[in-house]
Amino acid sequence: MVILTGKSLTLEEIKRVVWYKEKVKIHPATIAKIEQNRQTVEKMIEEQKIMYGINTGFGKLSDVMIDDMDLDELQLNLIRSHACGVGEIFSEKISRTMLLLRANALSQGYSGIRPIIVQQLVNLINKSIHPVIPQQGSLGASGDLAPLSHLALVLIGEGEVFYQGQRIPTSRAFVKAGITPIKLKAKEGLALINGTQAMTAVGVNAYLEMEKLLFQSELIACMTIEGLRGIIDAFDPDLHRVRGHQEQIQVAMRMNTYLSNSSLITKQGELRIQDAYSLRCIPQVLGAAWQAILHVKEKLLIEINAVTDNPLIFSKESKVISGGNFHGEIIALAMDYMKLGIAETANIAERRIERLVNPQLNDLPAFLSPQPGLQSGAMIMQYSAASLVSENKVLAHPASVDSIPSSANQEDHVSMGTIAARQALQMVQNTRRVIAIELICAMEAVDYRGTHLMSTATKECYKKARQIVPPITKDRVFSVDIENMQKWLIEEEELQELIQHVTDGVHYS
């Protein structure tokens, strides 16, 4: 059970709730704080204080005063009118993450809502009712207005949800699950849709998937090194120690550990003096990728426990402050930075694939084909990898450098952070397919060398991966193999246990 306080949610807890469906509960002290905050709002409404989005219109309409009798309708109109998302639908994982992050942000008790609002979000999580939320339509400032409006619709019994494997109207799911729709009160609609939870939810999932993929990439690269009889000296700890970047040092140490008892690796001068950069510089490149995603991790850990709506109500000080915590620039820049690390992970992996299949660069059968000429073998797998890498290069263009004014120029600078996060997630998925292709090709290469000569770690990876993709004995539809392998890379747990064992056993100086 994950307990929400608004201030202590971790990425590991998000993974448990989102990936493994762990239940969620609101901390009792948090409920009391939310209630106190709500009473402050109601008192200020009674005192006729002017408060943005509570008794005024929104955006450029903030100067329009709203009658007390219309305050509840104002919130309902807000949710319906702002539900303008378009395009493909977010996955259930993303939708579930958005529910969790929104509940956590509102739990801090600065948003002026009733506790029942947070409880309704928790109910949806615990009953696995996930809002249907279109991916496109957010500018990443003024909050993720469009996507969060689709989430808010569900709380009031409108819109659509995924429930028990079906996409159905929310009203139908609520009847099945025994949930009663909520009627929004003053401030509550605005509190639900002002925030960065769409971009942050996508960013969290992109980070978690990329972290797993980077560890896998290191191990798979080691199998490629064995297939190409690479030189182990390039990973000597002294070499990396004198440069000083800890992430680079750690990659090299893990690779040394993976290859520690391999009979397929070589020493300087044994076959050649030095390898190509795609082998020799793996710690330098993947170390830099680790630096990028660990920077993102730092920002995400702050943002998932941040209060990002507007205005905010400070009960102790009896004040309401309109500001810009909903602006997604921090996440936008972080996602754009992570995109570079993702792109480079794929770039260098594709170059290793080329070295595995190109007969001019190795002493293996041309294109790893069982009958070069009659059968093409892995030739076009490299084409697919090159295409994915090229697509990544386009997606890596920073979304955060763009801004288009909205709301009659009242909201005149926006972050495009949700676009950046979506691009990052797509790039992770592209990169996973590149790594899957490298693994397929590396397995063919070590088959030719002799799998009995592999290290303990790479052999274990080989055995597990061979259960997913069999050896290439004749040409077949390799698209199926690539998709099966990339699916295994995201879902497998046994390989992750092997990686964790090696990681835990390496002591960094």
Side-chain angles (χ1 to χ4, degrees):
M1 177 77 70
V2 171
I3 309 298
L4 297 183
T5 66
K7 300 177 180 179
S8 57
L9 188 63
T10 67
L11 292 173
E12 183 57 37
E13 287 176 327
I14 293 174
K15 185 188 290 187
R16 281 159 43 197
V17 173
V18 174
W19 292 21
Y20 305 113
K21 301 297 177 67
E22 190 164 323
K23 296 290 196 291
V24 173
K25 183 179 179 181
I26 312 166
H27 195 285
T30 295
I31 296 174
K33 186 173 181 180
I34 295 170
E35 180 61 45
Q36 180 188 13
N37 193 245
R38 178 64 192 178
Q39 290 172 5
T40 301
V41 171
E42 292 178 352
K43 181 174 181 289
M44 290 181 173
I45 291 173
E46 289 175 7
E47 294 171 351
Q48 297 290 305
K49 290 192 176 181
I50 298 174
M51 296 173 285
Y52 170 75
I54 299 176
N55 50 19
T56 75
F58 307 100
K60 189 64 175 178
L61 299 175
S62 60
D63 294 330
V64 178
M65 298 303 300
I66 309 299
D67 291 338
D68 287 354
M69 62 181 296
D70 295 326
L71 297 186
D72 293 354
E73 184 181 355
L74 175 70
Q75 301 302 308
L76 181 60
N77 291 341
L78 173 72
I79 298 303
R80 288 173 174 166
S81 67
H82 284 50
C84 292
V86 296
E88 297 294 320
I89 304 302
F90 280 125
S91 69
E92 288 194 68
K93 272 186 179 179
I94 301 295
S95 180
R96 186 173 176 83
T97 309
M98 287 172 64
L99 289 171
L100 178 62
L101 297 186
R102 202 75 206 104
N104 192 59
L106 295 174
S107 292
Q108 285 214 36
Y110 293 105
S111 302
I113 60 166
R114 294 168 294 160
I116 194 174
I117 299 296
V118 183
Q119 187 57 57
Q120 187 81 319
L121 291 166
V122 169
N123 291 340
L124 295 177
I125 295 168
N126 289 341
K127 291 183 180 291
S128 293
I129 299 176
H130 304 137
V132 172
I133 303 172
Q135 293 189 23
Q136 295 171 282
S138 176
L139 297 176
S142 297
D144 280 311
L145 295 176
L148 289 175
S149 292
H150 286 273
L151 180 151
L153 278 176
V154 172
L155 273 68
I156 62 176
E158 299 184 13
E160 291 183 299
V161 296
F162 295 108
Y163 183 56
Q164 296 179 340
Q166 292 183 301
R167 177 176 173 175
I168 59 175
T170 301
S171 55
R172 191 169 143 206
F174 276 16
V175 170
K176 286 186 173 185
I179 294 179
T180 303
I182 287 174
K183 182 178 179 182
L184 297 174
K185 297 292 185 181
K187 177 64 167 72
E188 292 177 337
L190 184 59
L192 283 166
I193 71 173
N194 246 197
T196 61
Q197 281 68 44
M199 70 180 78
T200 307
V202 178
V204 164
N205 280 275
Y207 168 80
L208 290 172
E209 290 188 21
M210 188 59 195
E211 179 188 60
K212 185 175 186 178
L213 187 58
L214 264 177
F215 279 124
Q216 292 169 337
S217 181
E218 294 170 6
L219 177 56
I220 292 164
C222 287
M223 194 185 298
T224 296
I225 288 167
E226 289 183 308
L228 294 171
R229 304 220 60 202
I231 302 168
I232 193 68
D233 302 68
F235 312 124
D236 188 295
D238 287 337
L239 178 74
H240 300 279
R241 175 181 54 79
V242 296
R243 193 176 190 191
H245 292 284
Q246 283 302 307
E247 295 80 6
Q248 174 184 326
I249 292 168
Q250 291 164 12
V251 172
M253 293 182 77
R254 285 193 292 269
M255 293 184 72
N256 271 314
T257 305
Y258 289 136
L259 293 168
S260 60
N261 62 345
S262 174
S263 297
L264 290 175
I265 54 174
T266 61
K267 302 288 286 183
Q268 286 180 173
E270 190 175 335
L271 291 179
R272 65 190 80 89
I273 298 299
Q274 53 187 22
D275 284 323
Y277 290 180
S278 58
L279 300 182
R280 198 194 331 163
C281 299
I282 291 170
Q284 289 83 353
V285 175
L286 295 189
W290 273 112
Q291 287 185 352
I293 77 159
L294 290 174
H295 170 79
V296 172
K297 179 182 182 180
E298 175 189 324
K299 302 309 170 189
L300 288 172
L301 281 170
I302 296 171
E303 194 72 2
I304 63 179
N305 292 295
V307 182
T308 57
D309 56 292
N310 178 63
L312 297 179
I313 292 87
F314 297 86
S315 299
K316 191 179 292 185
E317 297 82 3
S318 296
K319 61 185 179 183
V320 178
I321 303 177
S322 289
N325 279 1
F326 49 67
H327 201 294
E329 195 72 18
I330 291 170
I331 298 301
L333 292 175
M335 290 294 107
D336 280 340
Y337 182 28
M338 184 163 81
K339 281 158 47 178
L340 300 179
I342 299 167
E344 284 302 276
T345 301
N347 283 353
I348 195 169
E350 185 278 327
R351 288 293 81 199
R352 291 194 297 270
I353 294 167
E354 172 68 6
R355 302 201 78 82
L356 286 164
V357 303
N358 189 337
Q360 297 178 349
L361 300 176
N362 62 49
D363 58 349
L364 298 165
F367 304 104
L368 303 170
S369 170
Q371 291 179 285
L374 178 62
Q375 301 192 57
S376 296
M379 179 190 292
I380 308 304
M381 280 197 254
Q382 184 269 329
Y383 285 41
S384 293
S387 173
L388 291 165
V389 164
S390 190
E391 183 175 317
N392 274 358
K393 292 172 185 175
V394 175
L395 292 170
H397 176 81
S400 57
V401 299
D402 187 36
S403 179
I404 296 178
S406 55
S407 194
N409 227 40
Q410 172 77 359
E411 298 162 7
D412 57 355
H413 182 275
V414 296
S415 75
M416 304 300 183
T418 312
I419 295 174
R422 287 174 47 235
Q423 288 172 330
L425 184 58
Q426 179 61 57
M427 290 175 68
V428 173
Q429 293 163 354
N430 289 347
T431 300
R432 188 182 301 109
R433 288 179 168 89
V434 175
I435 301 301
I437 292 170
E438 182 184 3
L439 178 52
I440 293 170
C441 293
M443 288 195 298
E444 291 301 310
V446 294
D447 278 342
Y448 285 106
R449 301 294 186 197
T451 55
H452 63 288
L453 300 173
M454 298 173 72
S455 76
T456 302
T458 56
K459 189 185 296 182
E460 188 66 22
C461 176
Y462 173 90
K463 288 177 181 177
K464 296 180 188 304
R466 269 290 178 236
Q467 296 174 27
I468 309 301
V469 174
I472 300 174
T473 56
K474 60 186 296 187
D475 281 351
R476 58 180 186 255
V477 180
F478 293 118
S479 172
V480 176
D481 293 329
I482 296 167
E483 287 305 297
N484 287 341
M485 189 64 84
Q486 73 86 23
K487 184 180 180 185
W488 177 70
L489 287 174
I490 193 171
E491 293 179 351
E492 62 77 27
E493 294 298 333
E494 290 182 345
L495 183 59
Q496 208 60 28
E497 290 175 8
L498 168 65
I499 291 170
Q500 190 65 48
H501 176 73
V502 170
T503 303
D504 290 345
V506 173
H507 300 287
Y508 307 121
S509 57

